[in-house]
Structure formats: structure tokens, C-alpha cells
């Protein structure tokens, strides 16, 4: 096995273990491999290993890779901060946006989608006290959810969060779970939770995450060879 195949297999085994511990079915979890900073060739290798869901956090990089790999049957998840003026371009390749954090961006994504299949969106929560970070304050999430529900070309799937470094993952994910419950009170179908990265996916699975965004534990460190 290559190192990449090895790491993918061990992460998947750890996901299966955590799901078992949580009394959940691993088949209900979507494991997204976050491939930022890595070349398209690595994404192609991942696809050969059966990976279908990939994540990117920078539009410029994602659009190039998605173009190079258009022959593959991949689902691109956009997970990074997004400017309104990129909405149309992102919709051209992304099957979901995990970082929807404001009404203006929701409106831009909706306008860019006339006639297209609905775009899956997750509302990103800001779990820090720093308003400069991406994400909506948890107290504002229902208001944003209510707005997204009025937009015909967006499909609200749930909430997304990055656990802050300074917070214990278990505590952070409990807040995510609480925000998810509030969103579900107005949008019962929006029950998905995008949470869990290389360092904390086990805790995220225990807290109910449905979409895991895992980078370095699978891809290895950023490749310098391009
Ligand atoms: C990079 C990134 C990840 C993956 O992080 P790792 O720690 O490498 O697993 C997940 N989510 C977002 C939003 C990211 O930018």
C-alpha cells in the first residue's frame, strides 16, 4: 500500500471505531478529504482509492483543480471563506458550500443558481469571540436559517463549525449540537452537522457530526514539490 492509501485506511478505521462507540452507523457519515495545498495529482490518487467527496477552502485553487479533474466523478465541497463576487464561479463546480455565514452571501449564491440544481449549504458557526473569523454567531443562526429557507436555489442541510484551538472539542461540539437543534426547530430537514477535522473527528462523531472534513491525517503535510 502507498502511504496515502495507508493513511486513508487508518482514518476510515478510526471513523468506524468512533461510530461504533457512538452507537451510530458509519455508513451515515460522509468523509470529505480536504485537499487544499495539494496538487490535482493527489486528488486523482485519492479518487483511484475510492474517494468521492473532496474539500477545498480557497476558490482560486479549487477552480483550477476541479477543472483539471473534470473527468472524475467527484463532489467538491467548498469549506473556506467566500466573497460574494465568487458566488457564480463557485456554483459552477461545487456541490456544496459549508461556509455560508451571512445573508448577503446566501443571496448571491441563490441569484447565481437560477435554473440549476439546488446547492447544498451548511451555516458556518463562529465559536470564537473574534467576529473577524468566518461564521455566524450562534445566537444569530436561526435568523440566517430562516433567510436561507426563503431562497429557492439553496438547500439548507445543517450547520458547520471548526472547533477553536483553545476550546476542548467536546465542549465546542456540544455548542454545535445545540445550534443544530435550534436550526432544526425551524427547518426539521436541516439536520446535518459538518464538524470534525484531523485532530478531533472522533469527538465530532460522538457529538453527532454527519460530515467530517479531514485533511492532513489523510493527505499528509502540504506537498512542497507542487
Ligand atoms: C483545512 C480545513 C480542514 C481540514 O483540516 P485538517 O486539520 O488538515 O484535517 C477542515 N475544515 C476546514 C474549514 C479547513 O479549512
Amino acid at each position: 500500500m502507498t502511504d496515502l492509501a495507508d493513511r486513508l485506511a487508518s482514518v476510515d478505521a478510526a471513523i468506524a471505531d468512533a461510530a461504533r462507540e457512538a452507537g451510530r452507523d458509519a455508513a451515515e457519515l460522509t468523509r470529505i478529504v480536504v485537499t487544499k495545498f495539494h496538487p490535482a495529482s493527489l486528488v486523482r490518487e485519492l479518487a483511484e482509492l475510492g474517494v468521492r467527496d473532496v474539500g477545498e477552502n480557497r476558490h482560486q485553487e479549487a477552480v483550477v483543480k476541479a477543472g483539471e479533474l473534470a473527468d472524475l466523478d467527484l463532489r467538491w465541497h467548498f469549506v473556506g471563506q467566500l466573497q460574494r463576487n465568487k458566488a457564480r464561479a463557485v456554483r459552477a463546480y461545487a456541490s456544496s458550500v459549508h461556509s455560508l455565514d451571512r445573508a448577503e452571501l446566501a443571496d448571491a449564491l441563490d441569484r447565481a443558481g437560477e435554473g440549476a440544481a439546488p446547492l447544498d449549504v451548511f451555516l458556518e458557526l463562529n465559536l470564537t469571540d473574534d467576529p473577524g473569523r468566518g461564521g455566524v454567531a450562534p445566537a444569530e443562526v436561526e435568523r440566517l436559517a430562516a433567510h436561507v429557507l426563503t431562497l429557492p436555489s439553496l438547500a439548507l442541510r445543517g450547520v458547520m463549525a471548526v472547533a477553536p484551538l483553545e476550546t476542548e472539542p467536546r465542549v465546542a461540539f456540544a455548542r454545535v449540537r445545540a445550534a443544530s437543534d435550534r436550526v432544526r426547530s425551524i427547518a426539521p430537514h436541516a439536520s446535518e452537522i459538518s464538524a470534525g477535522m484531523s485532530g478531533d473527528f472522533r469527538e465530532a462523531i460522538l457529538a453527532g457530526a454527519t460530515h467530517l472534513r479531514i485533511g492532513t491525517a489523510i493527505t499528509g503535510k502540504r506537498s512542497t514539490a507542487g
Side-chain angles (χ1 to χ4, degrees):
M1 267 212 282
T2 63
D3 289 349
L4 186 65
D6 227 2
R7 288 191 300 262
L8 180 65
S10 63
V11 166
D12 283 348
I15 290 172
D17 280 348
R20 206 171 303 118
E21 190 182 335
R24 302 179 57 196
D25 181 356
E28 75 188 28
L29 305 176
T30 301
R31 180 257 293 122
I32 298 162
V33 184
V34 179
T35 51
K36 64 184 181 213
F37 305 140
H38 290 277
S41 57
L42 179 127
V43 184
R44 190 173 288 281
E45 269 182 77
L46 286 166
E48 280 160 13
L49 295 169
V51 169
R52 192 129 186 257
D53 291 279
V54 293
E56 288 285 335
N57 77 338
R58 291 190 330 187
H59 167 64
Q60 291 312 339
E61 185 179 335
V63 71
V64 172
K65 280 186 218 171
E68 269 180 59
L69 299 171
D71 59 309
L72 301 177
D73 186 21
L74 293 170
R75 279 194 297 252
W76 295 88
H77 298 259
F78 192 80
V79 305
Q81 291 203 23
L82 184 55
Q83 292 170 333
R84 253 190 306 176
N85 63 2
K86 300 294 188 312
R88 189 167 301 275
V90 166
R91 279 202 76 143
Y93 62 84
S95 69
S96 77
V97 170
H98 291 234
S99 43
L100 181 53
D101 61 359
R102 55 203 194 279
E104 301 72 38
L105 178 59
D107 291 340
L109 285 166
D110 181 56
R111 276 195 303 275
E114 341 102 47
L119 176 71
D120 286 342
V121 294
F122 294 79
L123 306 182
E124 181 178 359
L125 303 164
N126 180 355
L127 300 179
T128 75
D129 297 326
D130 175 2
R133 297 280 195 93
V136 62
E140 303 289 321
V141 73
E142 289 146 284
R143 194 206 306 241
L144 182 57
H147 182 72
V148 169
L149 290 174
T150 68
L151 303 175
S153 88
L154 301 185
L156 180 61
R157 301 300 297 268
V159 297
M160 176 276 216
V162 174
L165 283 177
E166 62 278 10
T167 310
E168 212 190 305
R170 199 175 44 81
V171 174
F173 295 139
R175 293 184 69 196
V176 176
R177 183 61 181 260
S180 167
D181 289 346
R182 286 187 283 111
V183 167
R184 275 168 42 211
S185 72
I186 57 169
H189 63 282
S191 58
E192 296 185 331
I193 297 178
S194 169
M197 305 178 14
S198 292
D200 58 18
F201 64 83
R202 184 181 161 280
E203 289 87 349
I205 291 168
L206 291 170
T210 59
H211 289 64
L212 315 167
R213 307 179 314 271
I214 303 178
T216 46
I218 294 172
T219 61
K221 293 254 169 58
R222 171 187 181 157
S223 124
T224 44

